[in-house]
Amino acid sequence: MPAQTHLFLCLQDNYGVLLHDPQSGATAAIDAPEAGAVEAALRAARWGLTDILVTHHHADHTGGIAALKERHHARVVAPAREAARIPLVDVTVAENDKVRVGSLEGSVYDTPGHTAGHISYFFPAEKLAFVGDTLFSIGCGRVIEGTAEMMWNSLIKLRALPDDTAIYCGHEYTAANIRFAKTIEPQNPALAQRAREVERLRSENKPTIPSRLGEEKAANPFLRADVPEVAKSVGLAGKPAWQVFAEIRERKNRS
Ligand code: ZN
Ligand code: FE
């Protein structure tokens, strides 16, 4: 039986997601924004929590760990480079490490920039990627602890995953991201199509994620800093992609 996922909103605009392996019964929470919302999702799905896979140390991704661990004795897997800032860590991981959730096997990717030790999890057989606050649909996380160049390298690492990978990110920011993206690439047909889709989803009160990586590559300006027309549109034709990325990120910060 294939892996199952269960996505739910928590806090203001965070997403929690459960990853379930029907074969073994194992269930991982990707990040733990809020214990109550994770508990409610577990009850709704009738799954028991076995693992918590943490992407980065921010409180809106780790605030639920202590209560969940106490109740479920779940194993907490966290980025090695920021484990000291995350409660009750059992296993630390970094680039190329493998993480098992029952019979499911994921790979760890170092994706620093939003935080210095941020990691993402990719499950190749399931084509699922859990990217925290590195990549958002039609956007990306703020560069808080790293440099723009570091963040760009993290984004192109994720961009190299298969096009049909489902991208689970940490927040519902898609509509605002689209309004900004249109200022960078007003004529991009893939962006226009995504905008229509997101408008429909939001009007039905449905989540806009997961998105497919192929769609993001075509429409997300933060994955397109090495496209000549994008560089030109921000007045940086011929400049290195990371500089173009830095300019787009700056503009988003000011928008
Ligand atoms: Zn964050
Ligand atoms: Fe966050």
Side-chain angles (χ1 to χ4, degrees):
M1 252 203 287
Q4 293 171 269
T5 55
H6 180 82
L7 179 76
F8 52 97
L9 267 176
C10 32
L11 301 174
Q12 293 289 333
D13 49 34
N14 275 78
Y15 275 121
V17 53
L18 302 176
L19 171 66
H20 179 69
D21 172 31
Q23 203 176 306
S24 63
T27 302
I30 316 303
D31 288 330
E34 190 184 20
V38 177
E39 295 286 6
L42 288 164
R43 275 196 304 275
R46 298 172 168 275
W47 296 337
L49 189 68
T50 52
D51 303 274
I52 301 172
L53 309 184
V54 181
T55 62
H56 67 295
H57 70 82
H58 284 160
D60 64 314
H61 298 255
T62 58
I65 291 174
L68 289 167
K69 180 155 176 96
E70 182 172 14
R71 187 172 147 85
H72 298 274
H73 309 287
R75 176 184 68 140
V76 178
V77 179
R81 282 187 289 165
E82 47 196 56
R85 301 174 74 173
I86 297 167
L88 306 171
V89 173
D90 296 298
V91 182
T92 63
V93 290
E95 180 85 8
N96 288 325
D97 283 341
K98 302 288 182 243
V99 174
R100 284 184 174 282
V101 177
S103 66
L104 311 176
E105 189 180 82
S107 289
V108 175
Y109 287 66
D110 284 339
T111 51
H114 176 69
T115 64
H118 192 300
I119 60 173
S120 299
Y121 299 89
F122 174 56
F123 288 76
E126 289 72 29
K127 301 233 171 111
L128 298 171
F130 302 99
V131 300
D133 289 356
T134 298
L135 175 62
F136 294 133
S137 184
I138 317 297
C140 75
R142 277 178 189 268
V143 181
I144 299 173
E145 295 176 10
T147 64
E149 189 169 15
M150 193 186 276
M151 188 68 160
W152 168 247
N153 286 325
S154 295
L155 290 171
I156 57 177
K157 192 189 278 186
L158 294 174
R159 190 178 68 176
L161 296 175
D163 277 357
D164 55 351
T165 303
I167 305 292
Y168 284 86
C169 60
H171 293 269
E172 180 60 65
Y173 290 156
T174 316
N177 287 342
I178 287 171
R179 283 193 292 279
F180 170 75
K182 283 180 168 173
T183 69
I184 305 293
E185 283 197 289
Q187 311 294 346
N188 181 335
L191 178 58
Q193 192 191 322
R194 179 71 173 139
R196 284 191 296 273
E197 183 189 23
V198 165
E199 206 171 308
R200 178 181 59 77
L201 289 168
R202 296 314 288 158
S203 73
E204 295 167 7
N205 232 335
K206 289 183 181 155
T208 65
I209 74 155
S211 60
R212 298 281 155 188
L213 182 61
E215 296 169 4
E216 294 298 328
K217 283 160 69 173
N220 186 334
F222 295 97
L223 294 180
R224 296 170 56 76
D226 52 359
V227 173
E229 298 84 77
V230 171
K232 199 169 154 216
S233 101
V234 296
L236 293 173
K239 295 290 185 205
W242 73 265
Q243 284 180 21
V244 176
F245 167 78
E247 172 63 20
I248 299 171
R249 187 59 256 182
E250 272 300 313
R251 290 185 183 200
K252 176 69 167 65
N253 293 348
R254 292 193 303 261
S255 74

